[in-house]
Amino acid sequence: MKVYRPEWQCTFSVNEGAEDTASLKERIAWSIRALADRLDGGGRTIQIDYDVTPRVSQEEVDVCLGKGFEVTQSLLTQLAHQAACEDVMRDAKAELFEENTPH
């Protein structure tokens, strides 16, 4: 009886600047991206590299990336909510946040 064993591989990396081993061309490209980010005033350029075997469609990759960004936005929203709550607590009950006060 033949035994079938599925094999797959996925590598995924996110970069936001030229690596130490980058060519001059890559370094110039990242410098231009950084300049564009500063001109736009609030964005952040990232490069996503992935390699999936066996191959999946570009549409499937796009769906996965979209879901990942949805999760990221949800996490950032939660962090903002927590920070806002802490700000209110610091204002309303500053004594709770004083370092030298015994609790």
Side-chain angles (χ1 to χ4, degrees):
M1 177 172 168
K2 185 173 182 177
V3 176
Y4 294 91
R5 193 178 98 197
E7 294 184 22
W8 68 93
Q9 181 179 353
C10 177
T11 58
F12 186 88
S13 67
V14 178
N15 299 312
E16 55 182 326
E19 296 179 6
D20 294 337
T21 59
S23 68
L24 178 60
K25 181 179 167 181
E26 289 174 289
R27 290 179 187 279
I28 292 171
W30 276 108
S31 295
I32 293 170
R33 289 181 187 111
L35 174 61
D37 287 345
R38 285 194 300 275
L39 291 174
D40 287 342
R44 190 170 179 180
T45 298
I46 60 172
Q47 178 181 352
I48 299 171
D49 292 314
Y50 61 91
D51 183 24
V52 180
T53 305
R55 190 183 172 286
V56 297
S57 73
Q58 185 64 48
E59 182 179 341
E60 291 170 314
V61 170
D62 293 345
V63 167
C64 288
L65 291 173
K67 288 180 180 182
F69 287 122
E70 288 173 10
V71 170
T72 300
Q73 197 223 334
S74 174
L75 292 171
L76 289 171
T77 300
Q78 288 176 25
L79 285 173
H81 181 231
Q82 291 169 1
C85 290
E86 185 175 317
D87 287 348
V88 168
M89 286 299 296
R90 282 182 185 278
D91 188 46
K93 295 285 186 179
E95 65 274 9
L96 295 176
F97 294 90
E98 292 175 3
E99 303 245 346
N100 296 329
T101 304
H103 298 281

